[in-house]
Amino acid sequence: MEALQIFVAIFILALASSFTFASDPSPLQDFCVAINDPNGSAKLAKADDFYFSGLHIHKNTSNTFGSTVTPVNVAQMPGLNTLGISMVRIDYAPNGGLNPPHTHPRASEVLVVLEGTLHVGFVTSNPDNRLISKVLYPGDVFVFPVGLIHFQYNIGNTYAVASAGLSSENPGVITIANAVFGSNPSINADILAKAFNLERKMVKNLQSKF
């Protein structure tokens, strides 16, 4: 009986511990500005640490994908450090501007369309790999769960603009094609050929593009 009580106590402690580590810890102070000075403190914080300007400006989308992401995370706004939030502006060229399939390993994302028409979606995890997608118009909102591959594609003939909030001050981004075919050093072509059911020369050709 005593052994059973000990087991139950250990189980409850383990369960409580898992709940404790399942979310970000509560802050111990008002803010913690990310600065390079190891001797810095909250007393050194200034208004510009919590400020960013320029999200109203249309960005140049003359690139391979026809899109430009303007991030506002802890790298651009030091005052976001430890707050668990960030945002981006995304500009899309007409007729096919694409924010290519990617993931944010540390954040969920909620996106609102400001201009244009976007086809957006994400893919669920194995084994279903189900595509959940929707066509969005100005004012529409869509959520991409943390860690899942997702994309946005401009299906209209005008420029499109979206803004998104992310649940981390440093959400990270992994663009799938870049990571797989553009890693440094390159992944062995035989591995990718087998993984994607491609000829080796096709893999080498894809790797040469990154």
Side-chain angles (χ1 to χ4, degrees):
M1 186 66 177
E2 183 177 349
L4 178 60
Q5 290 175 336
I6 293 173
F7 174 79
V8 171
I10 292 173
F11 175 78
I12 292 173
L13 284 172
L15 189 62
S17 176
S18 68
F19 287 142
T20 300
F21 291 105
S23 61
D24 291 336
S26 298
L28 301 178
Q29 56 195 37
D30 289 343
F31 51 80
C32 183
V33 175
I35 58 176
N36 292 325
D37 185 355
N39 299 314
S41 70
K43 294 180 180 179
L44 299 179
K46 54 190 183 298
D48 283 347
D49 293 327
F50 304 90
Y51 171 80
F52 181 91
S53 180
L55 287 188
H56 63 293
I57 300 172
H58 280 269
K59 305 300 181 181
N60 184 0
T61 56
S62 298
N63 54 54
T64 301
F65 296 119
S67 70
T68 297
V69 177
T70 304
V72 184
N73 56 46
V74 70
Q76 291 79 34
M77 186 186 291
L80 287 174
N81 191 44
T82 75
L83 298 186
I85 55 172
S86 61
M87 66 181 300
V88 297
R89 172 191 167 115
I90 314 168
D91 290 81
Y92 311 83
N95 302 309
L98 172 69
N99 190 12
H102 62 281
T103 72
H104 301 293
R106 295 180 291 275
S108 295
E109 175 181 351
V110 56
L111 178 138
V112 57
V113 177
L114 304 177
E115 301 175 24
T117 306
L118 296 177
H119 174 215
V120 307
F122 64 87
V123 179
T124 64
S125 56
N126 296 350
D128 292 341
N129 299 132
R130 190 159 64 97
L131 173 63
I132 297 177
S133 64
K134 187 81 173 175
V135 174
L136 304 183
Y137 303 93
D140 290 348
V141 177
F142 199 82
V143 172
F144 305 107
V146 59
L148 296 187
I149 295 173
H150 59 282
F151 62 87
Q152 302 105 36
Y153 184 64
N154 185 1
I155 59 174
N157 57 12
T158 62
Y159 281 95
V161 179
S163 182
L166 298 109
S167 60
S168 171
E169 70 269 17
N170 184 25
V173 60
I174 302 171
T175 305
I176 306 306
N178 294 30
V180 173
F181 295 104
S183 66
N184 184 22
S186 298
I187 299 174
N188 187 298
D190 293 327
I191 294 173
L192 296 181
K194 189 167 186 177
F196 289 92
N197 194 24
L198 297 171
E199 293 184 2
R200 191 177 190 279
K201 63 180 181 181
M202 177 63 74
V203 171
K204 298 296 289 184
N205 180 54
L206 288 170
Q207 289 177 322
S208 71
K209 299 180 183 298
F210 291 90

